[in-house]
Amino acid sequence: MTYTPSGADHPAGRTPGAELGAAFVAVADTLDGDRRAGAGDGRAGDVLVARCVAVLEVAAAGLLLADGAADGTAEAVAASDETVRALVGKEGPGRECHRAGIPIGAGALERAAPRWPDFAAAARTAGYGAAFAVPMRWRDETIGALVLFRTESGPLPDGTAELAQALADVTTIGVLQRRARRQREQLADQLQTALESRVLVEQAKGLLAERWQVSVDAAFTALRRHARARRIRLSDLAQGLLDHTVDPSDLQDGAP
């Protein structure tokens, strides 16, 4: 679903400078968006695409974004419409820009057929005469590409590419910061789970050591042997012992 600016976002009489300032604020504001995996990235893409069409001299825009997977696969996550989304997903300036990490342009799509045959044909059929892509890049990391479409052939107006790159940069920083925060939260959850599991196992070891009058090392050996034999997690076995759903005598064969 694409982001559509409301009338309140574009009050009558707003100057181009004010429009551009509002665009940067809107894009930066997506940093505090939905924390579900990938959801915030999509919202940031919707806002970026909508603001590019609103403030730049382009007819449509789309965003190609990699999700951070090891294979570096990038997908179209936002676009002016579904036709543009399909175009951005094809082998064309967006994918080439993502791979190279540099701006890629085709000021005359009728001459781009040898380079991107499917993209050039589909874009021209959709009514576009030119397409340009700027990288979603921060320092040495390129995570995607912003693709801009114009109905007429020719280069982008002076300053348009620079403004598009600036909007893309702000969005990229937000996406990367959101991903880093999500990774920190996931790591914290994993560490908390590991700690809780360790506490359960220590308590179960103490229970068996006291019940059998053996060392805690011997009790742990019995726990581990029983868990491996039944292919269950050690923490689950420990929890069963502590909540009395597992009888300690069932582990007796694993005791020394």
Side-chain angles (χ1 to χ4, degrees):
M1 179 178 181
T2 56
Y3 172 89
T4 303
S6 66
D9 291 332
H10 297 273
R14 177 176 279 180
T15 66
E19 288 283 5
L20 183 59
F24 278 102
V25 170
V27 168
D29 188 53
T30 63
L31 176 60
D32 291 323
D34 198 326
R35 295 191 181 190
R36 294 173 298 169
D41 294 353
R43 178 172 178 265
D46 289 340
V47 173
L48 174 62
V49 164
R51 294 295 175 166
C52 281
V53 174
V55 304
L56 305 179
E57 294 182 50
V58 298
L63 180 63
L64 193 69
L65 202 63
D67 62 4
D71 61 3
T73 302
E75 296 182 354
V77 300
S80 300
D81 55 52
E82 290 306 311
T83 298
V84 172
R85 184 185 294 271
L87 286 173
V88 171
K90 291 180 180 294
E91 182 60 40
R95 293 201 178 278
E96 191 168 319
C97 174
H98 174 219
R99 289 193 296 267
I102 58 175
I104 300 290
L109 285 175
E110 66 269 18
R111 295 200 293 269
R115 187 175 184 178
W116 311 303
D118 291 344
F119 173 86
R124 292 184 67 195
T125 298
Y128 300 112
F132 307 88
V134 297
M136 299 288 291
R137 183 187 63 222
W138 179 244
R139 296 177 179 168
D140 295 330
E141 186 173 3
T142 302
I143 63 173
L146 170 65
V147 187
L148 309 174
F149 295 86
R150 302 192 76 209
T151 54
E152 66 273 20
S153 298
L156 287 170
D158 290 345
T160 299
E162 290 78 7
L163 290 176
Q165 187 65 72
L167 287 167
D169 289 346
V170 171
T171 305
T172 301
I173 292 170
V175 168
L176 291 175
Q177 288 183 346
R178 184 186 299 106
R179 289 180 179 180
R181 181 177 61 191
R182 191 162 61 235
Q183 289 172 351
R184 289 194 299 270
E185 291 171 349
Q186 290 172 344
L187 178 59
D189 289 342
Q190 291 169 356
L191 291 174
Q192 182 62 35
T193 299
L195 177 60
E196 291 171 355
S197 296
R198 179 62 182 269
V199 170
L200 288 174
V201 171
E202 291 297 321
Q203 291 176 336
K205 283 163 56 176
L207 183 152
L208 293 180
E210 190 277 331
R211 177 74 61 89
W212 294 341
Q213 293 299 297
V214 297
S215 69
V216 290
D217 288 341
F220 178 67
T221 298
L223 270 171
R224 184 172 56 188
R225 186 179 302 160
H226 189 84
R228 286 178 176 175
R230 287 156 180 77
R231 300 182 181 277
I232 60 177
R233 293 190 305 177
L234 195 61
S235 58
D236 290 342
L237 176 58
Q239 182 65 65
L241 286 167
L242 296 172
D243 62 20
H244 307 295
T245 59
V246 174
D247 191 332
S249 63
D250 294 341
L251 283 68
Q252 197 67 50
D253 290 342

